[in-house]
């Protein structure tokens, strides 16, 4: 019945799109590029990452494949992913509704079934201000830190789409761009012939931890309004950054202060109207410049890490205002990127460590309570874990939840 409903919806909407948009008439087959050189060049020096002009992007629909190339995906330099892999560039949308290009990686395991394939959108926590830590590049270089977790999906025969959901300008922490990037990545995978998927009828699950959970949860909140034709069965998210302001307050002056500093630099890029130059002192201006080539925890890439660069520092020592988070422009940006303002479209599994050093658990508790009050089916698992440990120990149950959704096991809820 659900499949028939989606097919009818697609049939009804297609003529409308043809009449009101130039997209449908302008779509064409994606450009096919040769595999990247060995060793792969940095994305900044790779023509594959250079986006088409805005005039071209604006003529195609979100999720349209723009270009593809086959790659050899590796984990930890040594271990190739068993199956086939491609980098894809696709069309997405920014906060202003303008067309942008995004990158993603499609992995098809050797044991993928001939028919009836299912898709997982796996959102890597890459928390970066530079493309050198983007998942698409990490798979080629062999620095994909979460490959061990992704392998669990591949072993189950799932096709995996891992989007560079921060976009080509690395808008780390921008919820709208991240969520739309995930949903358009799903569309792109369903449009990708080599993935062997069944278009909008493809059963899909979404997952991610920490920064990846931001993208995953935003995608679920945007699902019904931005991409209602998709068949999303469930979403699993762990270590969820609900309110960036509260995360900043928690880590300021601690070992993890670099998360605050990196996020400020990223949001300053995404929201130039904040005018950070007017809010920071000379040391703060130096920080904003220094952070532009940084990414969080990606030690295999050789990129500078804000954790080591800014550990135990306090933001008040870098600003000309008493409290950066109290500045009206900053408060407005934080409010726009706060989770819980929309109703998620698919059942949720949320897992959170009670000893998490970054994410205030009270925020996650409140988010779950809000979702429950709106009728969302949520399974919420708290455990005695810190942020990093739970990323590994919590994955097994999250994967089980997602596989149950793909196998049409009815979703349950811990909501009271």
């Amino acid at each position: 019945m659900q499949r028939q409903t989606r097919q009818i919806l697609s049939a009804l909407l297609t003529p409308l799109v043809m009449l009101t948009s130039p997209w449908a008439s302008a779509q064409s087959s994606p450009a096919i590029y040769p595999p990247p050189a060995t060793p792969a060049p940095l994305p900044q020096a790779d023509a594959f990452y250079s986006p088409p002009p805005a005039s071209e992007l604006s003529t195609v629909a979100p999720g349209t494949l723009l270009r593809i190339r086959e790659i050899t995906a590796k984990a930890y330099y040594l271990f190739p992913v068993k199956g086939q892999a491609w980098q894809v560039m696709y069309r997405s949308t920014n906060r202003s509704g303008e067309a942008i290009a995004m990158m993603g990686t499609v992995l098809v395991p050797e044991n993928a079934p001939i028919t009836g394939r299912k898709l997982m959108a796996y959102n890597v926590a890459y928390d970066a201000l530079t493309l050198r830590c983007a998942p698409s590049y990490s798979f080629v270089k062999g620095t994909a830190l979460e490959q061990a977790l992704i392998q669990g999906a591949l072993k189950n025969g799932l096709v995996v789409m891992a989007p560079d959901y921060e976009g080509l300008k690395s808008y780390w922490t921008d919820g709208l761009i991240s969520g739309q990037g995930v949903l358009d990545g799903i569309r792109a995978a369903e449009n990708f012939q080599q993935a062997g998927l069944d278009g909008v009828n493809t059963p899909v699950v979404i997952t991610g931890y920490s920064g990846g959970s931001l993208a995953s949860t935003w995608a679920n909140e945007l699902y019904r309004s931005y991409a209602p034709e998709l068949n999303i069965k469930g979403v699993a998210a762990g270590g969820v950054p609900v309110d960036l302001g509260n995360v900043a307050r928690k880590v300021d002056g601690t070992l993890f202060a670099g998360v605050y500093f990196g996020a400020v630099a990223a949001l300053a890029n995404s929201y130039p109207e904040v005018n950070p130059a007017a809010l920071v002192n000379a040391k703060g201006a130096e920080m904003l410049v220094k952070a532009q080539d940084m990414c969080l925890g990606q030690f295999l890439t050789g990129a500078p890490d804000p954790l080591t660069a800014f550990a135990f520092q306090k933001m008040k020592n870098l600003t000309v205002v008493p409290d950066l988070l109290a500045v009206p422009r900053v408060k407005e940006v934080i409010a726009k990127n706060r989770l819980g303002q929309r109703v998620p479209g698919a059942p949720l599994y949320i897992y959170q460590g009670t000893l998490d050093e970054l994410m205030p658990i009270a925020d996650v508790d409140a988010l779950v309570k809000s979702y429950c009050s709106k009728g969302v089916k949520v399974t919420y698992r708290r455990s005695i874990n810190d942020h990093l440990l739970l990323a590994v120990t919590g994955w097994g149950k999250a994967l089980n939840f997602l596989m149950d959704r793909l196998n049409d096991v009815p979703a349950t809820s811990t909501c009271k």
Side-chain angles (χ1 to χ4, degrees):
M1 180 63 70
Q2 290 180 345
R3 172 180 289 204
Q4 291 175 339
T5 300
R6 284 191 298 276
Q7 289 173 334
I8 293 170
L9 180 63
S10 178
L12 290 173
L13 290 178
T14 298
L16 180 61
V17 171
M18 292 288 287
L19 288 172
T20 61
S21 169
W23 293 340
S25 60
Q27 289 189 43
S28 59
S29 299
I32 301 175
Y33 280 57
T38 302
L42 284 168
Q44 296 91 323
D46 188 342
F48 192 82
Y49 283 78
S50 180
S55 58
E56 180 180 331
L57 285 171
S58 64
T59 64
V60 296
T64 299
L65 285 165
L66 304 171
R67 58 184 70 148
I68 62 174
R69 69 178 177 188
E70 192 163 7
I71 62 171
T72 299
K74 297 175 289 185
Y76 318 122
Y77 292 95
L78 300 175
F79 308 108
V81 173
K82 293 182 179 180
Q84 292 180 283
W86 293 266
Q87 286 177 340
V88 301
M89 178 180 280
Y90 59 93
R91 193 271 212 200
S92 191
T93 309
N94 67 12
R95 285 188 296 104
S96 301
E98 300 164 335
I100 57 173
M102 275 204 178
M103 289 286 298
T105 304
V106 177
L107 306 172
V108 179
E110 291 179 334
N111 61 332
I114 300 299
T115 61
R117 292 182 178 180
K118 301 170 183 179
L119 177 67
M120 173 183 286
Y122 189 100
N123 301 305
V124 176
Y126 67 109
D127 303 338
L129 288 98
T130 168
L131 287 174
R132 67 192 291 182
C133 297
S136 59
Y137 179 63
S138 298
F139 281 117
V140 173
K141 191 176 180 183
T143 55
L145 291 173
E146 295 184 52
Q147 181 58 41
L149 306 183
I150 294 173
Q151 195 62 32
L154 298 175
K155 285 182 178 179
N156 279 282
L158 304 184
V159 176
V160 172
M161 158 56 89
D164 294 359
Y165 52 83
E166 293 178 3
L168 293 173
K169 294 187 178 180
S170 302
Y171 289 141
W172 171 28
T173 67
D174 191 310
L176 198 62
I177 287 177
S178 297
Q180 291 174 169
V182 172
L183 295 170
D184 286 326
I186 294 169
R187 286 167 161 163
E190 293 180 349
N191 291 330
F192 184 42
Q193 184 177 0
Q194 290 88 330
L197 300 170
D198 188 20
V200 297
N201 297 312
T202 303
V204 181
V205 290
I206 301 174
T207 191
Y209 189 85
S210 191
S213 76
L214 180 147
S216 301
T217 314
W218 267 90
N220 199 15
E221 287 198 6
L222 294 169
Y223 161 37
R224 295 297 183 186
S225 60
Y226 186 76
E229 81 281 5
L230 298 179
N231 183 19
I232 299 175
K233 296 288 192 176
V235 176
V240 183
V242 179
D243 184 305
L244 299 177
N246 289 341
V247 173
R249 292 182 182 92
K250 184 176 178 71
V251 302
D252 193 25
T254 73
L255 176 64
F256 297 94
V259 175
Y260 183 5
F261 290 23
V264 166
L267 286 172
N269 293 342
S270 188
Y271 294 85
E273 63 269 25
V274 171
N275 190 17
L279 302 175
V280 297
N281 57 26
K283 188 176 180 181
E286 181 182 337
M287 179 275 290
L288 289 174
V289 173
K290 188 176 180 180
Q292 295 305 314
D293 194 40
M294 291 186 172
C295 45
L296 191 66
Q298 299 284 337
F299 56 90
L300 291 178
T301 67
D305 192 326
L307 285 182
T308 55
F310 306 117
F312 302 109
Q313 295 193 37
K314 287 186 172 292
M315 184 61 74
K316 68 180 183 180
N317 296 327
L318 305 180
T319 65
V320 295
V321 294
D323 182 1
L324 182 66
L325 299 174
V327 174
R329 296 191 303 273
V330 176
K331 289 176 67 175
E332 183 180 347
V333 168
I334 291 171
K336 287 179 179 178
N337 287 278
R338 185 179 295 119
L339 285 166
Q341 300 179 69
R342 301 166 180 83
V343 181
L348 262 168
Y349 179 89
I350 293 180
Y351 53 116
Q352 183 66 36
T354 57
L355 305 178
D356 194 311
E357 306 91 337
L358 284 80
M359 312 307 174
I361 194 166
D363 283 358
V364 184
D365 291 345
L367 181 69
V368 170
K369 184 176 180 180
S370 172
Y371 285 163
C372 288
S373 70
K374 296 171 182 175
V376 181
K377 287 188 175 180
V378 184
T379 298
Y380 183 33
R381 301 299 183 200
R382 283 162 134 247
S383 62
I384 303 174
N385 271 295
D386 68 4
H387 191 73
L388 296 179
L389 184 61
L390 185 61
V392 178
T393 62
W395 170 238
K397 290 182 179 179
L399 179 59
N400 289 340
F401 170 88
L402 296 173
M403 293 306 302
D404 281 347
R405 302 292 78 72
L406 289 174
N407 292 324
D408 292 325
V409 176
T412 58
S413 175
T414 57
C415 294
K416 298 179 181 179

